[in-house]
Amino acid sequence: MLRNKSFVKRTRKGNVVRTVKEHYLRDDIVCGLESCQHATCAQARSDAAQAAPLSATPRDSTTWGPHYLLPDTNALVNQIDIFERPIINDVVVLST
């Protein structure tokens, strides 16, 4: 999907310049949840031989309930050894 933001601005000299910013959104990347009912995710799960990377029932704690882990970049850079342990599952790594 492509979204365009276009606007007109005036330069210091007084000229008018039209600026267009394009934002591309990919719709072919699946979320990875076992419990997702979206058509694209279901098709990818049926095509792939491997299971979804995120479980349908995430780890539960008494304080927060079922949850997935979304660490920020500083936590990943500074504490990567913790995220490599087998006890840490259902981690969603965000990228830009």
Side-chain angles (χ1 to χ4, degrees):
M1 173 195 278
L2 173 65
R3 290 187 177 176
N4 288 330
K5 293 180 183 178
S6 63
F7 55 93
V8 180
K9 68 178 186 177
R10 188 176 301 267
T11 63
R12 290 184 182 180
K13 290 184 177 181
N15 298 337
V16 176
V17 177
R18 181 174 175 220
T19 305
V20 177
K21 292 185 178 181
E22 296 179 343
H23 189 123
Y24 294 94
L25 300 174
R26 295 194 52 183
D27 57 356
D28 60 335
I29 300 175
V30 297
C31 65
L33 295 171
E34 286 180 2
S35 59
C36 183
Q37 299 300 322
H38 193 268
T40 307
C41 296
Q43 181 65 32
R45 273 195 310 273
S46 65
D47 291 346
Q50 60 185 356
L54 296 175
S55 63
T57 55
R59 189 170 293 241
D60 196 3
S61 70
T62 56
T63 307
W64 298 304
H67 61 277
Y68 295 104
L69 187 61
L70 291 123
D72 68 341
T73 54
N74 290 332
L76 284 174
V77 169
N78 297 325
Q79 305 295 330
I80 191 66
D81 55 330
I82 293 174
F83 294 106
E84 291 176 346
R85 295 179 185 232
I87 195 166
I88 305 291
N89 5 351
D90 295 329
V91 177
V92 178
V93 178
L94 304 176
S95 65
T96 57

